[in-house]
């Protein structure tokens, strides 16, 4: 009851006054401090150092702006909710794409078209990949500027492939190939075959959405009113994952277990966000040869990968703070910003031209072939669909709990998904 009261109050605050177009200050001609809620800052192994480096560079270039970086958990927006309720300034937020709808409705995220000059928006978006920029659009307006995001990557241990009699130059392309390779690794080495970041604490549903889509299914209808994760295509996708587990080749590792397995050389393949590239490279260095491939497909069906990651959303109503937040957003998503984000974290560069530009990423890409599958999948990337309404997290959790029970818990796949879908549909707005 208290939570709903807080949400209602926040919604009232965010909608009490009309939003006027292009309200931000024209320049940063006086000192201003803004808060930047950023989940990478909360995780040392997931870009905290690179993010702080960019913030420091921005403040050096803009001496009138002080940026207070605040680390928070991307799996739980309670920190932002509590700070807003307490009247604390929440100016700029790194918002997970699945939270965008809720952030607009309850946290007062503002459309760029309503606060920034149209010519500035157009100039900044020039050169950015359209498959990226559309990810922050909701109801026809840009509430989030696509920032850090990635695609699902199949990381694999080339040394284990050789030991198992497999060709590391021809990694698995289909889920059937994954099963065959994992069986060979299990049979001919002391290592485990495969794991994926599809389920488990913190996994949410971004990777699962891509798996289902790649079997020509959906977890939610295009108009985001009807859940569809119990339909035949989704059931078939989950049944495939269950088959991997029943065959003894899909290890039910949590996040830490999977990272440790890869670092120790005791895990053959790991399907996970490319954002872990830096961490996995560090673990493999001096131990084995780490390689990467694209997301596995179902037979001849083309994969339909969707993104993980975040957008930058402005929440402040103060014109000067809006200008400071907008300038920081532009800096973080500039050619230089994406050079740091890609090379030091592992996220995709949303400015494709820098990949071949010697002033930015060309040299790094030549030395780091692991990024190639991530870049290839960008051209067919599909959005991570956010669940609607105030119960969006519970809807997603209901779905993913059912998937986990179906794959690892021995439950009947079709019946479990159907029951979960009925329960989750009742939570839809």
């Amino acid at each position: 009851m208290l939570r709903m009261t807080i949400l209602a109050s926040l919604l009232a605050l965010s909608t009490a006054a009309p939003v006027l177009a292009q309200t931000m200050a024209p320049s940063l001609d006086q000192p201003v401090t803004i808060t930047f809620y950023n989940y990478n800052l909360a995780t040392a192994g997931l870009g905290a150092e690179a993010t702080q480096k960019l913030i420091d560079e921005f403040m050096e270039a803009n001496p009138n702006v002080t940026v207070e970086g605040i680390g928070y958990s991307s799996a739980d927006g309670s920190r932002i909710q509590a700070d807003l309720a307490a009247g604390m300034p929440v100016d700029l937020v790194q918002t997970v794409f699945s939270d965008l709808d809720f952030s607009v409705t309850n946290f007062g995220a503002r459309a760029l078209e309503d606060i920034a000059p149209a010519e500035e928006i157009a100039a900044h978006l020039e050169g950015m990949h359209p498959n990226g920029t559309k990810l922050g659009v909701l109801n026809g307006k840009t509430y989030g500027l696509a920032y850090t995001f990635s695609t699902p990557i199949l990381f694999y241990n080339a040394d284990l492939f050789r030991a198992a009699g497999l060709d590391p130059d021809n990694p698995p392309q289909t889920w059937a190939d994954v099963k065959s390779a994992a069986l060979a690794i299990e049979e001919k080495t002391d290592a485990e075959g495969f794991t994926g970041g599809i389920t488990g604490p913190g996994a949410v549903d971004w990777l699962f959405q891509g798996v289902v889509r790649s079997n020509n299914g959906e977890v939610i209808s295009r108009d985001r009113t009807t859940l569809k994760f119990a339909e035949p295509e989704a059931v078939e996708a989950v049944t495939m994952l269950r088959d991997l587990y029943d065959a003894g080749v899909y290890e039910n590792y949590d996040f830490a277990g999977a990272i440790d397995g890869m670092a120790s050389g005791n895990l053959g393949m790991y399907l996970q966000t490319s954002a872990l590239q830096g961490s996995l490279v560090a673990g493999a260095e001096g131990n084995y040869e780490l390689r990467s491939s694209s997301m596995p497909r179902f037979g001849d069906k083309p994969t339909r990968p969707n993104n993980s990651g975040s957008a930058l959303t402005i929440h402040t109503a103060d014109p000067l703070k809006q200008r400071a937040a907008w300038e920081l957003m532009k800096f973080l998503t500039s050619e230089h910003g994406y050079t740091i984000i890609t090379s030091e974290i592992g996220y995709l560069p949303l400015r494709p031209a820098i990949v071949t530009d010697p002033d930015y990423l060309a040299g790094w890409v030549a030395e780091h072939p692991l990024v190639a599958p991530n870049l290839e999948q960008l051209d067919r990337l599909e959005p991570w669909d956010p669940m609607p309404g105030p119960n969006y997290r519970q809807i997603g959790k209901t779905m993913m709990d059912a998937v986990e029970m179906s794959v690892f818990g021995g439950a009947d796949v079709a019946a479990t998904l159907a029951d979960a879908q009925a329960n989750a549909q009742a939570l839809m707005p």
Side-chain angles (χ1 to χ4, degrees), residues 342-353:
T342 299
S343 64
E344 298 189 22
I345 303 178
Y347 289 114
L348 274 167
L350 276 182
R351 295 187 177 277

Side-chain angles (χ1 to χ4, degrees), residues 335 339 351-365:
E335 289 84 352
T339 298
R351 295 187 177 277
I354 70 174
V355 173
T356 55
D357 191 326
D359 290 335
Y360 297 108
L361 280 176
W364 183 87
V365 169

Side-chain angles (χ1 to χ4, degrees), residues 45-47 150-151 153-155 255 259 262 270 272-285 288 290-293 340-349 361 364-365 367-375:
L46 195 60
S150 63
T151 67
I153 297 297
L154 184 67
F155 295 99
F255 178 78
I259 295 296
M262 290 297 291
Y270 185 26
Q272 187 50 286
T273 169
S274 63
L276 290 181
Q277 177 179 301
S279 176
L280 293 175
V281 167
E285 189 172 5
Y288 66 89
L290 178 69
R291 294 193 187 183
S292 65
S293 184
I340 301 301
I341 287 168
T342 299
S343 64
E344 298 189 22
I345 303 178
Y347 289 114
L348 274 167
L361 280 176
W364 183 87
V365 169
E367 296 175 2
H368 295 82
L370 289 180
V371 75
N374 207 22
L375 294 171

Side-chain angles (χ1 to χ4, degrees), residues 7-240:
L7 291 179
S9 299
L10 293 174
L11 180 59
L13 287 172
S14 67
T15 59
V19 178
L20 302 177
Q22 303 176 17
T23 60
M24 66 174 54
S27 64
L28 295 170
D29 57 358
Q30 56 185 295
V32 62
T33 297
I34 60 170
T35 58
F36 182 21
Y37 287 71
N38 183 292
Y39 64 75
N40 287 117
L41 287 175
T43 312
L46 195 60
E49 298 82 2
T51 301
Q52 189 59 56
K53 174 181 178 179
L54 286 169
I55 291 173
D56 291 343
E57 288 181 356
F58 174 78
M59 289 193 293
E60 184 176 355
N62 296 271
N64 272 344
V65 182
T66 299
V67 179
E68 295 182 353
I70 300 172
Y72 84 104
S73 171
S74 62
D76 182 5
S78 61
R79 170 69 186 271
I80 295 172
Q81 181 177 314
D83 287 357
L84 280 170
M88 298 177 67
V90 176
D91 302 321
L92 180 64
V93 177
Q94 179 190 14
T95 299
V96 183
F97 282 111
S98 62
D99 289 6
L100 185 60
D101 183 292
F102 189 84
S103 181
V104 171
T105 305
N106 296 282
F107 293 165
R110 297 172 182 271
L112 290 180
E113 292 86 350
D114 292 338
I115 61 174
E119 62 274 15
E120 288 190 30
I121 298 173
H124 185 68
L125 294 183
E126 186 176 353
M128 296 184 77
H129 200 295
N131 282 358
T133 55
K134 70 181 181 182
L135 298 177
V137 176
L138 196 64
N139 301 325
K141 288 190 174 183
T142 308
Y143 286 94
L145 180 63
Y147 172 44
T148 59
F149 76 106
S150 63
T151 67
I153 297 297
L154 184 67
F155 295 99
Y156 64 99
N157 183 325
D159 290 1
L160 283 178
F161 268 54
R162 297 186 186 97
L166 302 168
D167 182 1
D169 293 331
N170 291 289
Q173 298 299 304
T174 68
W175 284 108
D177 293 342
V178 169
K179 183 178 180 180
S180 296
L183 283 169
I185 291 169
E186 297 265 355
E187 292 170 359
K188 298 179 181 180
T189 76
D190 294 328
E192 307 293 351
F194 168 81
T195 196
I198 301 170
T199 63
V204 290
D205 64 342
W206 80 274
L207 216 169
F208 178 65
Q209 285 194 21
V211 171
V212 172
R213 279 204 187 118
S214 295
N215 197 39
N216 293 335
E218 300 283 356
V219 302
I220 189 171
S221 61
R222 292 294 82 208
D223 61 4
R224 296 170 62 240
T225 61
T226 305
L227 296 173
K228 303 180 68 175
F229 62 82
E231 295 195 359
E233 296 84 359
V235 171
E236 185 177 51
V238 175
T239 300
M240 178 278 297

